[in-house]
Structures are given as C-alpha cells and as structure tokens.
Amino acid sequence: MTTAEKTLRLTLGFALAAGLSACAGARPVREAAPEPAGHGGHASEPFAPSPFAVPLDAATLAKLPRETVQAAAHGESLDCEGVALDALLRATGALPADKLPGPQLARYVLVGARDGYRVLYSLAELDPGTGKRRALLVDRCNGAALGEEDGPLRLIAPEDARPARWVRQVKSITVVTAP
Ligand SMILES: Nc1nc2c(c(=O)[nH]1)N[C@H]1C(S)=C(S)[C@@H](COP(=O)(O)O)O[C@H]1N2
Ligand SMILES: [Mo]
C-alpha cells in the first residue's frame, strides 16, 4: 500500500467514526442562548427564552382570531369560543411560524390554574406542523362569559379522551425547555 493509500484509509476511517458517533447522539443537543422576549417568532430569529411566560392579557388575546369549539365533559356539552392556543403561542413568539426546530421538540407548555392545578402539553404536540393537537383558550361557553369557578379563561383540548387536561381558572402558560 502506498503512503497516499494509507492516508486515504485513515481519513475515511476517521470520517466514518465521527459520523457514527454523531448518529448515536453522542453530541449533546443545545439550544441557542436565551434571548429577550418579544421577538416575532420566526424560525430565523432567536428562540424564545426558557422559561417563557406567555402573555395572557386582554389586549394580546383580543388581537387573535376567535374560534369556536364543541366539547363534552362528564355528560355536559359545551359550545365555547376563544382563541387557539397555537395562535397565541405564535403571536407571542413562543412557537415559530415555520417548522419547529429540533431542539424545541424538548419544550413543554405548562398551564397553571389559580387553584394550583397544573397540566402539561408538549410544544410539538400543539405545533400545527407536528402533533397538530387542537387546544383553545376559551372565555365564553354556552353563550355566557365564564365565571370565577371556570374562568375567566379555560383551556379546552377537545381531542383528548377525557377532560383532565382541560384547565379551569387558567392563571399562567409557561413554555419551558425540559432539563
Ligand atoms: N383548575 C382546575 N382545572 C381542572 C381541574 C381542577 O381540579 N382544577 N380538574 C380537571 C379534571 S380531573 C377534570 S375531569 C376536568 C373537568 O372537571 P369539571 O367537570 O369539574 O369541570 O377539569 C380539569 N381541570
Ligand atoms: Mo378528572
């Protein structure tokens, strides 16, 4: 074997080893450094920081399209209206407008209520380009504004098989990168 052939074999060997270790997930997945909130939420722009508190003020919600949802819980049927959670996440920069970048597949959406109840969704399950699971933040059901017991904001995920992840008295929505 000539020196040139040996060099080629060595080079190929290293390239193969490097490729295999990358495929085996040897390199840790890292997100971009946290950035201040308030960017436009496009994939080309920096990720929202983690944790990211999604604004729930009336002015933010009023800018989003209204949607309706029919849902049933414990034999009671509900006709509700409010905003789509993915639209809220996008408008506030918590969800990119384009394809969800790989590192954001490890993000979760924590919904907290005034009574201390908490539930999780994954960001990817809510992303219209990935899990496409429908969830709405509603403020009116069966023709009336929600009262203190249920509202003023209630999260409804009509595709869930039981309403355990519907959240009454929504107080906060926080997007977090899993540790
Ligand atoms: N804030 C809050 N939301 C909540 C709960 C709760 O205890 N507190 N219970 C959950 C459960 S277990 C169910 S089954 C549904 C429906 O409860 P409801 O029929 O009492 O509204 O609400 C969910 N949302
Ligand atoms: Mo429940």
Side-chain angles (χ1 to χ4, degrees):
M1 194 185 295
T2 66
T3 312
E5 278 170 341
K6 278 184 192 156
T7 309
L8 182 63
R9 283 177 68 124
L10 267 175
T11 310
L12 286 174
F14 276 122
L16 186 63
L20 282 176
S21 70
C23 289
R27 286 179 303 179
V29 176
R30 294 208 189 284
E31 289 211 2
E35 292 287 336
H39 64 79
H42 297 286
S44 55
E45 295 177 23
F47 296 166
S50 170
F52 177 77
V54 177
L56 297 177
D57 57 283
T60 299
L61 298 176
K63 286 187 205 127
L64 299 171
R66 304 280 297 175
E67 291 193 14
T68 59
V69 59
Q70 280 96 44
H74 300 150
E76 176 203 17
S77 82
L78 290 167
D79 279 290
C80 301
E81 57 173 275
V83 301
L85 182 55
D86 65 304
L88 173 63
L89 294 173
R90 276 197 168 153
T92 56
L95 186 63
D98 303 321
K99 195 177 168 198
L100 196 62
Q104 293 207 28
L105 298 178
R107 289 191 157 198
Y108 60 84
V109 179
L110 176 64
V111 184
R114 290 195 307 280
D115 63 357
Y117 196 69
R118 303 193 306 165
V119 310
L120 284 185
Y121 294 83
S122 77
L123 189 60
E125 81 174 306
L126 299 171
D127 175 42
T130 311
K132 204 175 187 263
R133 191 162 202 83
R134 203 164 176 236
L136 284 96
L137 196 57
V138 304
D139 55 10
R140 296 182 65 82
C141 288
N142 296 343
L146 296 177
E148 279 294 297
E149 185 66 23
D150 293 339
L153 294 173
R154 180 179 189 177
L155 191 80
I156 291 185
E159 295 160 4
D160 272 13
R162 70 185 180 103
R165 293 200 300 176
W166 300 13
V167 180
R168 294 182 268 103
Q169 307 178 12
V170 171
K171 182 173 77 172
S172 63
I173 298 181
T174 314
V175 180
V176 184
T177 301

